[in-house]
Amino acid sequence: MPKRRKGANLSRRTTNSTVMPDIRARRSGEQIQQNNTDVRASMAQLRESLSKEARDERNQQRQLERRETRRFIVNRRRGIDQQRQQLLRAFTSDSFLRLAFQYEPDVEYYAHSKVVIGSLDKECPHCHALKFKNEPVGMCCSSGKVQLTEIETPPEPLHGLLIGTDPDSSLFLKSIRTFNSCFQMTSFGATEIVNNIAANG
């Protein structure tokens, strides 16, 4: 980073930075003109007081400072551009390995061909199921080999709870996943129950 110049205040949060704007705003046109004349005269006296060697040394110092500042800015921009190019190359490649650790908000990840799966508009000619364009053929019904029977109407009161005619239908539909979790083990069948008394102590 370039060296900070002596007397420079980058934050601009000093007493002078808040008082001087008010003083400048209250000055008249004659005062502004007189102030500019005084500044030009003082600068001319300062230049005359400096020797040629001192002026050359000061100019060289300023050139070095500008060169360091320019080099710092160029290197920083170059590093940012290199990181962005690496990210774009990784994004356009076939692999997304560790790409999340180099996230860039300006890159449109959602538009990548591996992310966009398209619309659900591909219809199976056998079972008429809707699929995405890249889904394999026969994934739904094994190309017509698997044919499921139509779902029968469930018995009451389950049918009324599902279609909304039962008074408790709203509560049932709202908590249907909880009810399903409570009875998820009841579908297992068994022909023999063994009580292992020794294992239970």
Side-chain angles (χ1 to χ4, degrees):
M1 188 172 179
K3 187 186 299 183
R4 180 178 174 182
R5 296 180 60 184
K6 185 177 180 180
N9 184 12
L10 300 179
S11 64
R12 301 291 184 183
R13 294 179 181 176
T14 61
T15 304
N16 290 335
S17 65
T18 56
V19 174
M20 289 304 296
D22 296 335
I23 296 177
R24 294 191 186 99
R26 290 195 296 266
R27 291 186 303 175
S28 62
E30 292 79 6
Q31 291 176 340
I32 295 174
Q33 186 176 2
Q34 182 62 37
N35 185 40
N36 294 337
T37 303
D38 295 340
V39 170
R40 285 194 293 268
S42 61
M43 291 300 297
Q45 292 178 359
L46 179 61
R47 294 190 188 95
E48 291 177 358
S49 63
L50 292 175
S51 62
K52 185 178 184 303
E53 291 78 8
R55 288 197 300 269
D56 294 341
E57 183 179 357
R58 185 185 61 181
N59 293 335
Q60 290 179 1
Q61 182 66 26
R62 290 181 177 177
Q63 288 178 0
L64 290 175
E65 291 177 357
R66 286 195 295 267
R67 193 174 301 152
E68 290 179 2
T69 303
R70 192 180 302 111
R71 186 183 298 112
F72 171 77
I73 295 174
V74 170
N75 291 337
R76 185 176 180 181
R77 290 179 178 175
R78 186 176 299 166
I80 294 175
D81 292 340
Q82 289 177 355
Q83 292 179 358
R84 184 178 294 274
Q85 290 176 3
Q86 292 176 359
L87 178 61
L88 290 176
R89 282 195 295 268
F91 181 64
T92 55
S93 63
D94 294 334
S95 176
F96 279 6
L97 182 63
R98 302 183 66 83
L99 188 60
F101 295 98
Q102 300 175 352
Y103 176 76
E104 186 68 32
D106 298 335
V107 178
E108 298 178 349
Y109 296 93
Y110 62 87
H112 196 276
S113 59
K114 286 188 173 295
V115 178
V116 178
I117 60 177
S119 303
L120 194 68
D121 54 0
K122 184 179 178 182
E123 184 177 350
C124 175
H126 304 284
C127 65
H128 306 289
L130 296 178
K131 301 185 297 181
F132 296 102
K133 63 178 182 179
N134 291 328
E135 288 189 89
V137 179
M139 179 181 179
C140 48
C141 63
S142 187
S143 299
K145 296 179 182 178
V146 177
Q147 296 182 359
L148 301 177
T149 58
E150 294 185 1
I151 300 176
E152 298 180 358
T153 303
E156 293 293 345
L158 180 59
H159 183 248
L161 291 171
L162 290 174
I163 64 175
T165 57
D166 192 279
D168 297 328
S169 178
S170 59
L171 176 63
F172 176 78
L173 295 176
K174 183 179 180 180
S175 308
I176 192 169
R177 297 193 64 177
T178 304
F179 296 146
N180 182 66
S181 299
C182 292
F183 297 103
Q184 61 184 351
M185 302 296 293
T186 59
S187 60
F188 288 101
T191 58
E192 183 180 358
I193 300 176
V194 178
N195 294 323
N196 193 343
I197 301 176
N200 295 331

